[in-house]
Amino acid sequence: MSLFKTREWWTATCGTGEEFDHGCLAMGNLDEAPDGGVKIVTGSFSGLVRVHAPKDRDYKVDDLVLEMDLKVPIIQVEVGRFVSHAGKTSLAVLHPRKLAVYTLATTGGASAYHQLSLEYEHRLEHTASNMVFGQFGGAPADIICVQSMDGQLCVFEQETLAFARYLPNFLIPGPLAYCRQMDALLTCNSCFEVECYKYQVLASSSADRLRDGERSESGGLTATT
């Protein structure tokens, strides 16, 4: 018997009949409210992005502070510092063929009105699968890495495409993660191996396609599962 119990504090239903991917949920103080209140962001395959701001137990109508139709299916959402100027907290939205970054502006005083403002977007040449972000290479702001369905990693430093690399031994896209302590990207290949690529290795590679041995020869790590 467990000594701990979980209790439902707040719940909300996002639309009717909408579908979501596992990466379509993110949390953070998106509007940089002085009280540090966390906002819950969701994005669906129907293209609807919603921002909830729970204040008390149980759902209330005004907990939904924004609902916007982006007209394109949403694969993943993330909250971070993706804007080069002022280091503002922003929202990255990944679509099949586009990466867009927004900021959430609040106006209206007591009766606050929220609105998403597009900061920049990148058109993707390859269909996206997922993305990960972090302060790659010790960067002051968050950098985004998008993995495509055909194994290409595209690294975006805010408004600029830094570089693109193809992964070796690629069959289908797998999970993608960033380890800050190692400054490395982790994924898995079609040989059921977990691969770890140092960010500096990816950035300094002279070829668009990484060689099979480059991960281990240049400080990477491969583990067979």
Side-chain angles (χ1 to χ4, degrees):
M1 186 178 75
S2 175
L3 297 176
F4 303 97
K5 292 183 179 180
T6 58
R7 294 184 179 180
E8 185 178 284
W9 183 77
W10 182 90
T11 183
T13 302
C14 297
T16 304
E18 293 183 50
E19 295 183 352
F20 300 81
D21 203 352
H22 67 276
C24 288
L25 174 69
M27 298 174 62
N29 186 13
L30 185 55
D31 59 349
E32 298 189 329
D35 61 358
V38 173
K39 313 301 182 295
I40 302 174
V41 184
T42 58
S44 71
F45 289 154
S46 300
L48 289 168
V49 60
R50 297 179 177 88
V51 180
H52 288 87
K55 302 177 185 64
D56 299 304
R57 186 182 180 89
D58 300 325
Y59 176 79
K60 298 177 178 59
V61 176
D62 58 356
D63 288 346
L64 179 62
V65 298
L66 181 137
E67 180 176 287
M68 184 174 178
D69 189 356
L70 300 182
K71 308 295 184 182
V72 187
I74 298 172
I75 299 174
Q76 189 174 342
V77 293
E78 296 289 355
V79 176
R81 297 190 178 274
F82 310 117
V83 181
S84 56
H85 61 84
K88 294 180 62 177
T89 303
S90 47
L91 174 68
V93 181
L94 183 63
H95 303 285
R97 286 282 181 153
K98 182 173 68 173
L99 171 65
V101 171
Y102 300 86
T103 52
L104 182 65
T106 306
T107 57
S111 55
Y113 172 73
H114 295 77
Q115 184 177 9
L116 281 181
S117 299
L118 179 65
E119 293 293 330
Y120 62 87
E121 64 180 22
H122 294 284
R123 297 287 177 177
L124 304 176
E125 295 183 1
H126 303 257
T127 302
S129 173
N130 53 19
M131 66 176 173
V132 70
F133 73 94
Q135 294 176 303
F136 304 162
D142 289 322
I143 298 174
I144 301 173
C145 177
V146 176
Q147 180 180 210
S148 69
M149 296 293 290
D150 59 351
Q152 186 186 58
L153 298 180
C154 290
V155 176
F156 297 97
E157 296 182 6
Q158 290 78 54
E159 295 88 348
T160 305
L161 171 61
F163 59 86
R165 302 286 184 267
Y166 279 98
L167 295 172
N169 297 326
F170 185 88
L171 182 61
I172 58 174
L176 186 65
Y178 173 67
C179 178
R180 182 171 57 87
Q181 289 77 5
M182 298 176 61
D183 190 29
L185 294 171
L186 292 94
T187 185
C188 60
N189 61 27
S190 58
C191 298
F192 302 102
E193 296 174 335
V194 176
E195 295 184 337
C196 175
Y197 293 93
K198 293 283 190 178
Y199 177 72
Q200 294 300 334
V201 174
L202 291 172
S204 61
S205 176
S206 59
D208 291 337
R209 184 177 295 275
L210 293 171
R211 298 183 299 274
D212 289 348
E214 189 163 6
R215 57 185 179 272
S216 57
E217 294 170 1
S218 303
L221 175 66
T222 302
T224 303
T225 57

